[in-house]
Amino acid sequence: MAAFKGCLFTALSLVLALFFLRMQIARSVLVWFGFISFMLVLAKEELVRFAVRSRFGQSQSRRRFILLGTGEETASMRAELRAKAQEEIEVLAELSLAETSIPRLVELLHEYSVNGVIVNARHSYFEQVEAAVRACEIEGVEAWLVADFFKTQISRTTFDDFYGRPVLVFRTTPEASWQSVIKQVMDCLGALAMLILLSPFLLIISLAIKFSSPGPILFRQQRSGLNGRPFSIYKFRTMVTNAEQLKHELEAMNEMTGPVFKVTNDPRVTPIGKFLRKYSLDEWPQFYNVLRGEMSLVGPRPLPVDEVKRFNDLAHRRRLSVKPGLTCLWQVSGRNNVTDFRDWVRLDLEYIDNWSLWLDFKILWWTVPVVLVGTGAK
């Protein structure tokens, strides 16, 4: 109904403008303009509604939260979210602020891969604050609450409205903006274009792998995605089929500190695999992961789930706060020549803390010569 009113208003405005400007246009043109514009707007709205309700749309837009507060507060919040935002918000757990320890909360953050924690402590600790704000409200006087009672080192504090409730958001990742929307569009269109353009080469590489060594063409592995949520990554197989079993025999040759595993001249790599790895051709199937919304063109490289579980510093998990990508500062700053995992994480966090659309464009530009020359590949 709103779309019909909007198109009708636009058509009538056009009629009035033409009348005052004394321009002669056939009436049928105006009728067809109103009809076609209404149909286009209606089609756009239906496509958006279908996309949002589809499994892919829900996986991209639905946010996962843990509720933290008193039993009464979390129950009230859950009921309110169920009534107002059942399709957008998924509540995975309700925790008591007084009874739940911080280590237990951290365990649940890892287990559920949540997007955030909603803390509702209004009736637990802030009675006096609430009374003062209410008194100012009655008097018509502004009440300014200094929100520095939580000493954060990295988080940026913003004020937001959460379905009618004022909330403070402590965010270490880039805030949603027009740049982030363009990044998503760029990911989708870029991945689709690359899959189409590279399809002949993908076929040639597939045949080369198939006839050069026994085993499947593609290698699938569980990697940690956004907030640590596991997903299946796709790569061209560059190793022998029992590579995972042989990995334990090569642990002593590991050249990386920390939980990750990297070896120069890995004996598990096949002859065709060495060529694919040198020029990063084995990574091309990950454009499909980007198209599915599991990865981005630019972002920290996704690590295997078992390696993420072995992080000995919880601060390293902040690299999971954005979508993983095909390339990042690590690739263009020496790639596999970096042997200290802390340096790897430092580069990823530097990307997160300084993210902009322009930085993404620069990293993509820097990646091209690195890949063509095969710099630092193993």
Side-chain angles (χ1 to χ4, degrees), residues 67 69-84 91 94 118 120 122-123 162-163 165:
L67 301 184
T70 65
E72 180 182 355
E73 290 166 344
T74 54
S76 174
M77 175 65 77
R78 177 187 279 273
E80 188 172 344
L81 292 177
R82 185 179 293 114
K84 296 181 179 179
V91 177
E94 297 179 35
I118 301 175
N120 194 342
R122 180 167 56 92
H123 296 299
F162 187 75
Y163 298 100
R165 296 193 180 202

Side-chain angles (χ1 to χ4, degrees), residues 177-237:
S177 63
W178 65 268
Q179 290 194 81
S180 59
V181 173
I182 293 178
K183 178 180 174 69
Q184 288 186 326
V185 174
M186 185 175 68
D187 286 341
C188 184
L189 296 181
L192 181 60
M194 292 302 294
L195 286 174
I196 294 174
L197 292 173
L198 297 176
S199 55
F201 302 100
L202 294 174
L203 178 60
I204 293 172
I205 294 174
S206 299
L207 294 174
I209 296 173
K210 184 66 177 178
F211 292 111
S212 63
S213 63
I217 295 173
L218 292 177
F219 171 73
R220 295 177 56 183
Q221 188 181 49
Q222 288 288 293
R223 298 286 179 102
S224 292
L226 180 62
N227 301 126
R229 192 171 188 176
F231 73 98
S232 295
I233 197 173
Y234 295 91
K235 302 177 67 174
F236 280 126
R237 183 177 60 83

Side-chain angles (χ1 to χ4, degrees), residues 31-251:
V31 174
W32 277 108
F33 170 78
F35 176 74
I36 293 174
S37 61
F38 171 71
M39 294 304 297
L40 289 176
V41 171
L42 182 63
K44 186 267 292 184
E45 293 296 327
E46 290 299 322
L47 285 174
V48 170
R49 186 178 294 109
F50 174 78
V52 170
R53 291 182 177 178
S54 67
R55 181 179 298 179
F56 173 76
Q58 290 182 355
S59 67
Q60 294 299 300
S61 62
R62 195 166 191 178
R63 293 174 291 175
R64 300 147 59 88
F65 285 92
I66 289 176
L67 301 184
L68 183 62
T70 65
E72 180 182 355
E73 290 166 344
T74 54
S76 174
M77 175 65 77
R78 177 187 279 273
E80 188 172 344
L81 292 177
R82 185 179 293 114
K84 296 181 179 179
Q86 185 173 5
E87 295 184 357
E88 295 89 2
I89 301 292
E90 181 181 3
V91 177
L92 299 176
E94 297 179 35
L95 305 178
S96 170
L97 191 61
E99 299 175 2
T100 304
S101 65
I102 296 301
R104 176 55 180 161
L105 175 62
V106 171
E107 288 179 9
L108 292 176
L109 294 180
H110 298 175
E111 180 179 348
Y112 290 125
S113 303
V114 299
N115 296 103
V117 177
I118 301 175
V119 182
N120 194 342
R122 180 167 56 92
H123 296 299
S124 301
Y125 300 102
F126 300 147
E127 293 87 354
Q128 294 84 354
V129 174
E130 182 182 12
V133 171
R134 186 179 294 117
C136 293
E137 184 180 21
I138 294 173
E139 296 290 333
V141 178
E142 290 184 356
W144 290 27
L145 177 62
V146 179
D148 62 351
F149 34 80
F150 299 122
K151 302 297 182 182
T152 60
Q153 296 179 338
I154 306 172
S155 298
R156 295 176 292 273
T157 307
T158 57
F159 190 79
D160 205 347
D161 180 88
F162 187 75
Y163 298 100
R165 296 193 180 202
V167 293
L168 283 174
V169 182
F170 299 90
R171 181 182 287 110
T172 60
T173 55
E175 190 174 1
S177 63
W178 65 268
Q179 290 194 81
S180 59
V181 173
I182 293 178
K183 178 180 174 69
Q184 288 186 326
V185 174
M186 185 175 68
D187 286 341
C188 184
L189 296 181
L192 181 60
M194 292 302 294
L195 286 174
I196 294 174
L197 292 173
L198 297 176
S199 55
F201 302 100
L202 294 174
L203 178 60
I204 293 172
I205 294 174
S206 299
L207 294 174
I209 296 173
K210 184 66 177 178
F211 292 111
S212 63
S213 63
I217 295 173
L218 292 177
F219 171 73
R220 295 177 56 183
Q221 188 181 49
Q222 288 288 293
R223 298 286 179 102
S224 292
L226 180 62
N227 301 126
R229 192 171 188 176
F231 73 98
S232 295
I233 197 173
Y234 295 91
K235 302 177 67 174
F236 280 126
R237 183 177 60 83
T238 59
M239 293 186 175
V240 294
T241 54
N242 62 337
E244 289 299 314
Q245 289 75 16
L246 297 175
K247 179 180 177 180
H248 301 288
E249 302 176 9
L250 303 173
E251 290 289 348

